[in-house]
Amino acid sequence: MDELNLAKMAQKGSLDAFNQLVMIHQELAYNVAFRILSDPAAADDATQTAFISAYRHLDSYRGGSFKAWLMRIVTNACYDELRRYKRRPQVDLEPQSNESGEEIESPAWLADDTLSIEARVELSELEQAIQHCLDNLPDDFRVVAVMVDVEGLDYQTVSEAVGTPLGTIKSRLARARARMQQCLQHFQELLPHQFRLESEKR
Amino acid sequence: MTMDIKKLSNKDWQLLSDLLDGQLDAAKSSKVLKRLEKEPALHAAYENLRWTQSLMRQVPRRKVPHNYILTRHMAAEAKKESGVKRSYYNLASVLASLVFVVLLAIQLVPNLPFTRFTSKSMQSEEIALREMVVEDEAEEPAMGLMAVPEADVEESMDAPEFAAAEGEAEATPEEEPMLEAFSMEVTSEESEELSDSEDETLNLDQTMVAEEQENAFKSKPLNWLFIATVVSGLTAFALAFINQKNRRNF
């Protein structure tokens, strides 16, 4: 069954249909929230809040891209979290260490058996570098950069999700990319060989 | 090279970004490609953008910590909260709008059926005020005539007619008709002069009092009505805005 039919059934009161939509989009929603908020716990909260809010406001969905509609709710939940962050003292976003000095929490993908230890470490370095640069972007730029460049969403979906005209999305993306490339230049030496610029590899 | 890249304008970055995503039409695209061949800084910036984008696409996706499906209980709670909140805002918004419309109608159209009571009471107040003014008008001239200033009394004591009046008692019976005629003549002249000057003063006072009362009548209820209308209008607008915002922003 396609998304539109599932959404219509959910609007008529089918919780199962809504939960099917949740299963389809939860990974995207969580990853967008995580890259915007840079904190697993906050991303978890924002994602849960977004799905509850989506269920509550199902009647405001009037066809079109369900993904874009849902991403708008996720983005708003993230903005709410960011505002809350700014009101209260910042918490260390690095994984907490226990008494023995081991990290308590590590990304789930690090436990992926299909990747070699070396590949996992390299990806971890790349992820940290990119996350650091994303964190230094203004909120509006970060949202667009995450959606287009990290999650690969198209401009139209992002425009609907952010509630901003296409031209503004393009402009924000261009500026976000300019800043990202400038920031990532500083990580050139630290990045694994295959992630370096061609001109720098020689 | 890095320095050259830094000199690029926002417009150039925008062009490169659009080129990277295939957002330029054929003509613009070939124009930018030609510039890339000629301008090494622009070319380097484009390469950097491509590299940045490819890095960002390689960022691994995180697995969700748990499923976000809603239980029956969560769904029921979500709907309940939403219903209560929305109905509260709707009701408040409707009430404020209603009050605003009624107050506005009272001010703009005083003869509407539902504003009759208010306009009648306003009319009766006006009538009462006007009656007060008329009473004052009636009382003041009488008071003016009764109260003769002391200076006037002294002056009149020195006047020949007063002397005539004083000597009235001593007048011989032959002189009486002559004196009577003289005093009657003088009294009528004096009262004419007095009434002319008093009339002018009274008219001025009456006009001022009437104006003050009319202004007080006009400004007092209108001000209150106006303030109430503005407050209710603003409240209605704010509630409608919050309602709309809640609906739009989830």
Side-chain angles (χ1 to χ4, degrees):
Chain A
M1 196 178 287
D2 67 345
E3 281 188 8
L4 195 65
N5 283 329
L6 283 172
K8 277 181 184 169
M9 283 173 69
Q11 279 180 323
K12 284 175 188 165
S14 168
L15 183 60
D16 290 340
F18 180 77
N19 279 336
Q20 280 190 54
L21 288 166
V22 172
M23 293 300 284
I24 294 169
H25 295 292
Q26 63 179 4
E27 198 174 299
L28 171 68
Y30 177 75
N31 274 277
V32 166
F34 176 74
R35 293 293 160 211
I36 293 171
L37 299 170
S38 188
D39 176 23
D44 186 18
D45 284 350
T47 311
Q48 187 68 75
T49 306
F51 280 119
I52 290 172
S53 189
Y55 185 73
R56 196 179 283 162
H57 295 94
L58 264 173
D59 54 340
S60 70
Y61 170 67
R62 306 193 199 289
S65 167
F66 185 82
K67 192 201 276 183
W69 180 79
L70 184 64
M71 281 303 111
R72 180 160 193 179
I73 301 175
V74 172
T75 312
N76 283 333
C78 289
Y79 275 123
D80 287 345
E81 279 290 324
L82 287 169
R83 275 193 286 271
R84 224 168 289 155
Y85 265 178
K86 281 167 190 168
R87 279 201 297 267
R88 69 185 181 207
Q90 293 284 320
V91 182
D92 188 6
L93 298 179
E94 293 299 314
Q96 298 286 317
S97 297
N98 61 16
E99 284 171 327
S100 62
E102 290 169 347
E103 284 184 354
I104 294 167
E105 192 183 358
S106 54
W109 57 268
L110 278 180
D112 191 346
D113 293 335
T114 57
L115 291 171
S116 66
I117 295 171
E118 198 180 320
R120 280 183 237 164
V121 172
E122 285 172 357
L123 274 175
S124 171
E125 284 168 358
L126 173 71
E127 190 192 22
Q128 280 176 24
I130 288 177
Q131 193 61 54
H132 172 82
C133 293
L134 281 172
D135 292 347
N136 286 330
L137 292 178
D139 295 345
D140 291 340
F141 290 8
R142 183 161 66 250
V143 168
V144 176
V146 165
M147 286 188 172
V148 177
D149 281 344
V150 180
E151 295 302 329
L153 298 178
D154 61 87
Y155 282 22
Q156 190 56 44
T157 304
V158 178
S159 170
E160 284 173 36
V162 181
T164 311
L166 263 178
T168 313
I169 296 295
K170 286 181 185 178
S171 155
R172 283 182 189 172
L173 183 64
R175 288 201 259 173
R177 281 173 172 169
R179 289 191 191 202
M180 280 298 286
Q181 65 87 26
Q182 206 176 343
C183 174
L184 285 169
Q185 294 279 331
H186 300 303
F187 287 91
Q188 276 276 13
E189 299 300 317
L190 300 171
L191 285 175
H193 189 260
Q194 75 269 23
F195 296 131
R196 292 183 195 167
L197 256 171
E198 285 301 315
S199 56
E200 304 289 327
K201 282 181 186 173
R202 286 162 222 144
Chain B
M1 190 67 77
T2 317
M3 285 303 289
D4 292 340
I5 288 176
K6 280 181 182 172
K7 282 177 189 170
L8 289 181
S9 65
N10 280 336
K11 203 180 167 188
D12 284 337
W13 283 112
Q14 172 98 49
L15 276 175
L16 294 177
S17 179
D18 288 349
L19 181 72
L20 194 66
D21 289 338
Q23 293 288 318
L24 297 177
D25 57 41
K28 272 188 181 173
S29 184
S30 65
K31 221 176 185 179
V32 178
L33 286 171
K34 274 178 191 169
R35 273 187 68 194
L36 286 178
E37 285 170 13
K38 288 177 194 168
E39 299 173 37
L42 201 70
H43 188 265
Y46 183 63
E47 287 302 317
N48 280 359
L49 276 190
R50 274 176 55 177
W51 168 72
T52 305
Q53 194 190 43
S54 76
L55 282 186
M56 289 174 80
R57 293 251 159 105
Q58 289 180 65
V59 171
R61 267 197 151 189
R62 294 215 166 199
K63 282 181 184 168
V64 290
H66 58 88
N67 281 332
Y68 291 98
I69 53 173
L70 303 190
T71 61
R72 300 256 164 228
H73 176 71
M74 285 163 81
E77 284 292 311
K79 285 284 178 194
K80 200 172 128 189
E81 274 176 38
S82 153
V84 170
K85 199 176 170 187
R86 212 178 290 178
S87 56
Y88 169 75
Y89 274 113
N90 279 343
L91 185 69
S93 179
V94 166
L95 280 177
S97 306
L98 210 65
V99 170
F100 173 68
V101 168
V102 169
L103 289 174
L104 199 69
I106 288 170
Q107 285 198 77
L108 297 178
V109 197
N111 291 325
L112 276 176
F114 63 90
T115 62
R116 198 169 288 159
F117 171 75
T118 320
S119 59
K120 267 185 181 173
S121 67
M122 283 168 71
Q123 281 168 2
S124 61
E125 272 181 43
E126 190 179 7
I127 291 163
L129 276 166
R130 287 194 189 287
E131 278 172 359
M132 278 170 66
V133 173
V134 171
E135 276 170 20
D136 286 348
E137 279 172 14
E139 278 170 16
E140 279 177 24
M143 294 274 284
L145 282 172
M146 280 164 71
V148 182
E150 280 178 26
D152 287 354
V153 174
E154 279 168 17
E155 273 175 32
S156 61
M157 296 272 276
D158 299 333
E161 56 266 32
F162 185 76
E166 261 188 342
E168 208 175 323
E170 291 163 18
T172 56
E174 299 86 48
E175 288 170 339
E176 269 181 8
M178 281 175 67
L179 277 170
E180 211 168 291
F182 175 73
S183 78
M184 277 175 72
E185 203 176 305
V186 167
T187 316
S188 65
E189 274 175 19
E190 187 196 4
S191 68
E192 263 174 38
E193 275 173 27
L194 262 172
S195 65
D196 279 351
S197 64
E198 276 167 2
D199 276 355
E200 276 173 26
T201 326
L202 278 171
N203 281 340
L204 199 68
D205 288 348
Q206 283 160 16
T207 322
M208 281 168 72
V209 169
E211 271 176 11
E212 271 175 26
Q213 281 173 346
E214 204 151 315
N215 284 342
F217 166 74
K218 273 182 186 171
S219 62
K220 205 175 176 185
L222 261 180
N223 276 347
W224 282 110
L225 262 180
F226 180 72
I227 290 167
T229 311
V230 169
V231 169
S232 62
L234 287 174
T235 312
F237 178 76
L239 284 169
F241 179 74
I242 292 169
N243 217 358
Q244 190 66 25
K245 202 182 166 197
N246 283 344
R247 204 171 288 178
R248 202 174 50 229
N249 290 343
F250 316 108

